Amino acid sequence: MPRRTPPRPGRPGPPPPPPFDPELAAALGVIGERLGTVLNLDDIPAMRGTGIIDRLSDDDLRQDGAFEIEERAVPGPPGEPDISLLIARPTGAATALPALYNIHGGGMILGDNRSGIMPFLDVARELNLVIVSVEYRLAPEHPHPAPVEDAYAGLVWTAGHAGELGIDPGRIIVAGGSAGGGLAAAVALMARDRGGPALAGQMLMCPMLDDRNDTVSSHQMAGLGIWDKSANQTGWTALLGDRRGGPDVSPYAAPARAEDLSGLPPAFIDVGSAETFRDEDVTYASRLWQAGGRAELHVWPGGFHGFESLAPQAVISQDARNAQLTWLRRLLAAG
């Protein structure tokens, strides 16, 4: 876990950080030691080689027969390689079901289409949903626009083959956490701008939205928690190279750069109060409202980045999961 560097004598330090939830704070040391720290681009290969992200088997994903599991190669962006979609469909479903189109997290540099999928399977069991999870090319080997174009190509294929997959094409929700949340927001922008699939919603959990990495919360939480300012700079640099923080960054790379947030599907955004992404996520929700959009925002007091997945037994983590479930249930009932 990163440690805060004391301010230099005579120079003001960052504002004091909000405290971690006591139950989460007790878990944070163990979690930080297991995850390690990404400080620069040279750390990425070692991080990938540590096995910090478990690769789940098909048997794990079937959940004792609750789901039928298929992995399918489908066309990627024009002129680019095929992409892999992991499809989890409730066993024995006889009608077209709503779908969550999941884009995994990992700071743009880690993970695959099985990463972090178990909580979505829990939601799918509760609400009778299909899960489609996309595997996109990772930075820095594949910088922007490769990750978002892969994610968008998978969405277009999924919507176009909804009947074959047993999916209701009018009830597809794009979802993701952290980098996946940022990519989900970008895919929603792409779908609007390109006349692509009409999404029923966008579910953005602690999304990674702003390459400028210069909010109050990014400074407050430097050296603290999970995925601090330095790690965030590494992730964005992997994706954008020298363009990071400059004037010419596409909103499809960093959705916070979008000038127009009108005409987007209803959004669910949640974030911890004690994490780097707090302020950019709150700003994004506010801008959706200012553009006349629908957004539900939760800022969980004392939550670090990804707390509900990394410390699922904590009371606040269970509250966060219940809020996600409630929003999805309400959205699907309205549709």
Side-chain angles (χ1 to χ4, degrees):
M1 181 173 59
R3 301 183 185 277
R4 182 188 291 281
T5 301
R8 297 178 188 174
R11 295 185 62 184
F20 293 116
D21 172 89
E23 196 175 5
L24 296 180
L28 188 54
V30 174
I31 294 167
E33 288 179 7
R34 179 170 63 86
L35 293 181
T37 302
V38 177
L39 294 178
N40 56 61
L41 295 176
D42 293 338
D43 293 329
I44 293 172
M47 285 284 289
R48 290 175 180 165
T50 59
I52 60 172
I53 300 177
D54 295 331
R55 179 155 178 93
L56 301 170
S57 70
D58 285 359
D59 283 342
D60 294 327
L61 299 175
R62 289 190 186 99
Q63 295 198 351
D64 297 322
F67 293 97
E68 299 168 352
I69 302 299
E70 176 186 7
E71 190 147 7
R72 186 179 297 198
V74 306
E80 300 293 343
D82 287 353
I83 55 176
S84 178
L85 296 180
L86 178 69
I87 303 160
R89 179 173 171 76
T91 300
T95 60
L97 301 177
L100 276 180
Y101 182 79
N102 174 53
I103 307 175
H104 70 80
M108 305 291 181
I109 57 177
L110 300 169
D112 58 33
N113 59 11
R114 297 173 183 237
S115 303
I117 198 173
M118 290 302 259
F120 288 105
L121 291 178
D122 293 340
V123 169
R125 289 187 78 162
E126 181 77 18
L127 299 181
N128 205 28
L129 309 176
V130 178
I131 303 293
V132 179
S133 187
V134 61
E135 186 154 330
Y136 54 88
R137 289 170 289 171
L138 299 174
E141 296 88 346
H142 303 285
H144 176 76
V148 71
E149 290 289 357
D150 285 356
Y152 184 72
L155 174 67
V156 170
W157 186 91
T158 298
H161 293 77
E164 173 188 345
L165 299 174
I167 291 172
D168 179 349
R171 294 198 291 171
I172 298 174
I173 299 159
V174 65
S178 192
L183 289 167
V187 163
L189 289 167
M190 279 184 162
R192 179 198 65 182
D193 296 344
R194 297 179 178 181
L199 295 169
Q202 50 179 329
M203 193 172 182
L204 315 177
M205 283 82 77
C206 55
M208 181 178 174
L209 299 171
D210 196 340
D211 64 294
R212 290 164 291 198
N213 195 27
D214 197 32
T215 61
V216 171
S217 58
S218 74
H219 290 282
Q220 277 183 306
M221 302 309 300
L224 297 173
I226 304 295
W227 198 256
D228 78 331
K229 183 177 175 67
S230 294
N232 198 38
Q233 179 169 317
T234 296
W236 281 114
T237 301
L239 185 71
L240 296 171
D242 292 341
R243 291 173 292 164
R244 181 193 60 80
D248 300 319
V249 172
S250 167
Y252 302 146
R257 299 292 196 126
E259 295 182 2
D260 178 12
L261 295 183
S262 64
L264 292 168
F268 178 95
I269 300 173
D270 75 350
V271 67
S273 70
E275 71 158 292
T276 300
F277 296 152
R278 181 195 67 217
D279 291 348
E280 65 196 67
D281 293 356
V282 170
T283 297
Y284 200 74
S286 296
R287 292 186 58 217
L288 286 168
W289 295 321
Q290 290 162 8
R294 292 170 54 193
E296 179 170 321
L297 171 67
H298 294 264
V299 181
W300 297 101
F304 58 76
H305 184 63
F307 68 92
E308 69 272 26
S309 296
L310 294 171
Q313 300 308 314
V315 171
I316 196 170
S317 300
Q318 295 175 47
D319 289 345
R321 289 291 184 201
N322 287 336
Q324 295 164 12
L325 192 65
T326 298
W327 179 81
L328 278 169
R329 185 180 285 115
R330 188 187 322 120
L331 181 73
L332 294 171

